[in-house]
Amino acid sequence: MRRRRIGAAAVTAFAAAVPLAFLAVFFLLPVAGMVAKGFWSEGGLDLSGVGEVLAHPRTGRIVGFTVAMAAAATFVCVVVGVPVAHALYRLDLPGRRFLRALVVMPFVLPTVVVGVMFRSLLAPGGWLGWLGLDGSWQAILAAYVFFNLAVVVRTVGAAWEGLDRRPEQAAAALGAAPRVVFTTVTLPALRPAIVSAASVVFLFCATAFGVVLTLGGLRYGTIETEIYLLTTALLDLRGAAVLSILQFVAVVLMLVIVDRARSGGGVVGSGTGGGTRTLSAPSAPGRITTAALPSLAVTSAVVAFIALPVIALVARSLQRGGEWTLANYRALGALDTRRGLPTTGWEALATSWRIAIDATVVAVGLGLLVAVLVTRPAHTTGQARRRRMLDSVVMFPLGISAVTVGFGLLITLEWLPFNLRTSPLLIPLAQAMVALPLVVRTLAPVLRAIDDRQRQAAAALGASPSRVWVTVDLQAVWRPLLAAVGFALAVSLGEFGATSFLVRPERPTLPVVIYQLIGRPGADNLGLALAASVVLAAVTVTVMVLVERLRVPSVGAF
Amino acid sequence: MLRIENLSVEFGQLRAVDGVSLEVPAGSVLAVLGPSGCGKSTLLRAIAGLEPLTDGSVCFDGVDLAGVPTHRRAFAMMFQDGQLFAHLDVGANVAYPLARRGIRSGVARAEVSRLLALVGLDGYAARRPATLSGGEAQRVALARALAARPRLLLLDEPLSALDRSLRERLAEDLRRVLAETATTAMLVTHDHDEAYAVADRAAIMRAGRLVQQGPVAQVWAQPADAEVARFLGYDTVLTGAAAARVLAAAGDGTGDWVALRRDAVRLVGQGPLRGAVQSTHRGQDGLRVGVDVEGVGLLVAIGDPEASVGVGEMVALRVDHRRVALIPPSSDRPPAR
């Protein structure tokens, strides 16, 4: 017995070592590099940089703006997202599957594309140009909400769909009006999901990069864009490092709070593991009554809000000089040296696709490993604690900005014993880092929901551990696994933050090309950027539609 | 034969199973009985190799099973809720352990129908587990467990999730099937009726320790202490002078403590015990009368359903010695009465 446990422990330790080593090289090392840049000078510890950066009035302004915008966007996302979750997951709404897909779509739209969308809508000459919101903080806020609403809708919706209806019915039978049932029974039951989603939205908004860079211009900046600016334009690596660390500390703090909110204490014995969320069979959607009218009204507004920028983008990409034309799309295939681009749009798309596939293989492989490890039932409190720690650690990249990862990698690459700088794997690995937490979040709830006695039953009937895995785990997880593949693919295709630091100038990815194009003057360049955005959006959305057909509730839910 | 010696399992600070030793001879069925949380399921899981031992050993036919993983022990396990594989139909569920033993196609099909017939589910092979009732699911789980040709069948509360009448019927079938297949089995349950119906031997567990074991009838006739007696369905446990009076009335031996089943005391015209009626209450087994018996205290007696007695009336009682158990004086636990 003891011998077997030691053997199993060795396998577990090795399995945990692989993702941890990956995290160490592509996450901890960059962060360590950042610390060294910020606090280490002339062979000694030097904290003067911290004081300097923090004392700078601009820093205060940037941090304040970052936090205030993230808080405002989180508030709007929750207030709007909960009624939408109700309408799309609890009501027998015609076409709700399509609407669900529509609401999730922005989440996988490349940040750069979202930026381009809002600009083409709000810029002078755009459909909403008369609002005069181009380059305003309101535009950034709208883009944040556009982007992150899906997180609230998916997370709360998945929880709501799986909610046992009987307590609600019991409350109603005790004389509670629908509104009272909602506030006294439903809302408390949804609270963990709402808290979880809100924290994730806050993290995403606080570390948003591409959207702010394309929409904020020079007037507004967040910690992320400031790091980018300090690194690339002002070459103040120390200042950038201090800001990165500041953000890192804040995010780790935040994740600890989320972790506390998500689960209450470790599980010992033969339980089904950490989390508190269970995925039960969805209950039948309810009929639409007048009580549902507010939810339906909010949902209609949200659908319009999401559809408008998309339609505007597509429409404007089909125009040049006020006329309808395919010229912008034709230009995607042409190599025009005047634009200073080394590749055509299609070549950039091919580059993006190749990189995304490599990144997906890495992210899904590691993510599956991590998900299996963290959901194994723990026998001791120590084991339960270690599993929860691993679970939290792989979530770090979710909150740590891609810019930090990209920038950190850039300055620590030469520390590695192998040459990664020129390796074609560099960008895929960095993107895998970004996609890894999403893969784990898709797979872990499904694996956690498996009754461990199913595995025990199989083992007792003579199935070897690998056969047990095929019979029980794989059976439950193959759809989520496919969904995770699509999700990772979509995220990698649109990844901009880390890629923008690491990309080789002669082989840009499509998001990088789009960003370069909108930075150049001229209607031709803008038109090309619009067309490229439509193509990129079409590819990621197609992938997500396929994912959506798999009907996995944990995709995009936190 | 299964032999467990000094087996202990700890979860952190908690000693869930504490130095348990027992044997299950080949072909016999042992019921491990105990209230929930007594460690009986953990004991079962430890025997299956699903829980690491802190101390002690599990041997089968003289071979120590330390280091033998669950799937190589040939101990099939049946769970309270069946744990059928939902993605496989009934036939494929039953064939699952056959495939693990390398038996496939024709032979396996024949074996599957034989086993399904054995558990009374002829023609169920194509059904989905989701379409089965609780009792049917448990029968399939039994057929599947037997298909593994287990050296030892471990049953974890196999009937507890079912309703009463179904449980009684299935308990009988379970006993028959185990006997027909000469399966060595260990059953864990908190239901003494289930244990009595299915097992040859019983072991009583409490707070991780084994407090009594022996042939089923013997365990029932001589509970180790007052708590065991109560757990085995004895209604009343008496001690001291009260016990002596009741035993004298039953005309049956002497002892410090005595346990009475709920139908041990009967209302009669003439009897050795007398007392005043405190309450009456009509039940399915007759009139249940609470009587304050001189020198004993309150006893509940069964009377003729037609009898009419009023509160305060003096009545006579008789004690049926077959419904009374003596608790050995070595017992160190005070009676709860």
Side-chain angles (χ1 to χ4, degrees), chain B residues 2-90:
Chain B
L2 176 76
R3 180 200 296 272
I4 294 163
E5 263 168 37
N6 197 29
L7 190 153
S8 296
V9 177
E10 281 175 11
F11 297 126
Q13 298 296 313
L14 177 76
R15 216 169 162 83
V17 178
D18 191 0
V20 167
S21 300
L22 53 78
E23 286 181 0
V24 186
S28 74
V29 180
L30 171 74
V32 177
L33 260 167
S36 51
C38 72
K40 58 188 191 300
S41 285
T42 306
L43 172 65
L44 197 75
R45 295 165 50 76
I47 293 168
L50 295 167
E51 215 67 71
L53 308 187
T54 309
D55 206 355
S57 65
V58 176
C59 297
F60 198 90
D61 289 346
V63 181
D64 190 339
L65 297 180
V68 178
T70 301
H71 67 282
R72 300 236 173 81
R73 293 193 176 198
F75 293 175
M77 192 155 173
M78 187 175 154
F79 291 86
Q80 182 174 350
D81 46 1
Q83 295 296 334
L84 299 178
F85 302 129
H87 62 283
L88 302 177
D89 63 22
V90 165

Side-chain angles (χ1 to χ4, degrees), chain A residues 1-5 268-270 379-381 451-465 467-468 470-472 475, chain B residues 11 45-46 49-54 65-71 73 75-77 79 81 83-85 87 96-97 100 144-145 148:
Chain A
M1 191 69 99
R2 219 157 268 270
R3 190 152 32 90
R4 177 165 83 87
R5 288 294 158 184
V268 187
S270 61
H379 283 279
T380 63
T381 27
D451 191 335
D452 195 46
R453 290 174 307 160
Q454 285 267 303
R455 302 190 185 101
Q456 296 165 2
L461 294 169
S464 63
R467 171 55 70 170
V468 169
V470 170
T471 305
V472 181
Q475 191 58 40
Chain B
F11 297 126
R45 295 165 50 76
L50 295 167
E51 215 67 71
L53 308 187
T54 309
L65 297 180
V68 178
T70 301
H71 67 282
R73 293 193 176 198
F75 293 175
M77 192 155 173
F79 291 86
D81 46 1
Q83 295 296 334
L84 299 178
F85 302 129
H87 62 283
Y96 187 85
R100 302 289 81 73
R144 185 178 72 170

Side-chain angles (χ1 to χ4, degrees), chain A residues 256-319:
Chain A
V256 169
I257 296 168
V258 175
D259 189 53
R260 285 278 152 80
R262 205 202 312 269
S263 53
V267 177
V268 187
S270 61
T272 46
T276 50
R277 192 147 51 98
T278 53
L279 299 176
S280 50
S283 46
R287 274 180 303 118
I288 298 171
T289 61
T290 50
L293 284 179
S295 299
L296 293 176
V298 173
T299 305
S300 314
V302 162
V303 168
F305 171 70
I306 289 172
L308 189 65
V310 178
I311 296 169
L313 174 73
V314 175
R316 290 203 52 181
S317 74
L318 290 168
Q319 289 173 322

Side-chain angles (χ1 to χ4, degrees), chain A residues 176-195:
Chain A
R179 185 190 303 268
V180 180
V181 171
F182 178 75
T183 52
T184 57
V185 179
T186 316
L187 206 53
L190 292 177
R191 217 183 63 104
I194 294 175
V195 170

Side-chain angles (χ1 to χ4, degrees), chain A residues 63-120:
Chain A
V63 172
F65 183 77
T66 306
V67 172
M69 286 294 283
T74 306
F75 177 76
V76 175
C77 281
V78 169
V79 168
V80 173
V82 171
V84 175
H86 177 238
L88 297 187
Y89 287 85
R90 229 35 217 277
L91 295 180
D92 188 13
L93 201 63
R96 63 178 183 277
R97 296 236 348 250
F98 169 78
L99 292 175
R100 281 184 202 176
L102 183 79
V103 171
V104 182
M105 179 192 67
F107 185 68
V108 293
L109 281 183
T111 50
V112 179
V113 172
V114 174
V116 170
M117 266 181 194
F118 275 79
R119 283 199 66 186
S120 70

Side-chain angles (χ1 to χ4, degrees), chain A residues 344-366:
Chain A
T344 68
W346 298 124
E347 279 167 2
L349 179 63
T351 305
S352 288
W353 187 254
R354 271 196 302 274
I355 290 174
I357 285 173
D358 291 347
T360 301
V361 169
V362 175
V364 172
L366 288 175

Side-chain angles (χ1 to χ4, degrees), chain A residues 133-406:
Chain A
L133 288 177
D134 191 25
S136 68
W137 64 266
Q138 290 95 329
I140 298 175
L141 182 63
Y144 277 3
V145 173
F146 178 84
F147 204 61
N148 288 299
L149 204 53
V151 174
V152 177
V153 174
R154 289 301 294 231
T155 307
V156 177
W160 211 328
E161 197 174 30
L163 211 59
D164 188 352
R165 285 201 156 184
R166 285 167 302 178
E168 293 174 7
Q169 291 161 351
L174 292 170
R179 185 190 303 268
V180 180
V181 171
F182 178 75
T183 52
T184 57
V185 179
T186 316
L187 206 53
L190 292 177
R191 217 183 63 104
I194 294 175
V195 170
S196 196
S199 339
V200 170
V201 171
F202 187 87
L203 284 180
F204 282 166
C205 292
T207 59
F209 174 60
V211 167
V212 186
L213 199 62
T214 44
L215 284 178
L218 293 173
R219 248 168 86 203
Y220 295 107
T222 59
I223 299 178
E224 286 283 295
T225 57
E226 188 69 6
I227 294 169
Y228 183 77
L229 194 71
L230 288 174
T231 321
T232 55
L234 306 177
L235 301 177
D236 177 5
L237 293 189
R238 200 169 66 157
V242 171
L243 279 180
S244 283
I245 289 154
L246 192 70
Q247 192 184 37
F248 180 74
V249 171
V251 162
V252 168
L253 221 67
M254 186 82 195
L255 278 171
V256 169
I257 296 168
V258 175
D259 189 53
R260 285 278 152 80
R262 205 202 312 269
S263 53
V267 177
V268 187
S270 61
T272 46
T276 50
R277 192 147 51 98
T278 53
L279 299 176
S280 50
S283 46
R287 274 180 303 118
I288 298 171
T289 61
T290 50
L293 284 179
S295 299
L296 293 176
V298 173
T299 305
S300 314
V302 162
V303 168
F305 171 70
I306 289 172
L308 189 65
V310 178
I311 296 169
L313 174 73
V314 175
R316 290 203 52 181
S317 74
L318 290 168
Q319 289 173 322
R320 188 176 273 191
E323 282 179 29
W324 294 94
T325 166
L326 283 174
N328 292 326
Y329 289 89
R330 274 196 294 275
L332 280 178
L335 186 64
D336 192 340
T337 45
R338 279 172 308 152
R339 296 189 207 284
L341 293 178
T343 57
T344 68
W346 298 124
E347 279 167 2
L349 179 63
T351 305
S352 288
W353 187 254
R354 271 196 302 274
I355 290 174
I357 285 173
D358 291 347
T360 301
V361 169
V362 175
V364 172
L366 288 175
L368 182 61
L369 204 57
V370 171
V372 167
L373 281 177
V374 300
T375 55
R376 291 263 111 172
H379 283 279
T380 63
T381 27
Q383 229 171 25
R385 202 172 43 240
R386 280 197 296 281
R387 275 162 208 197
R388 272 158 53 80
M389 237 164 69
L390 178 63
D391 195 21
S392 297
V393 166
V394 297
M395 287 305 124
F396 279 166
L398 191 68
I400 309 308
S401 75
V403 169
T404 306
V405 173

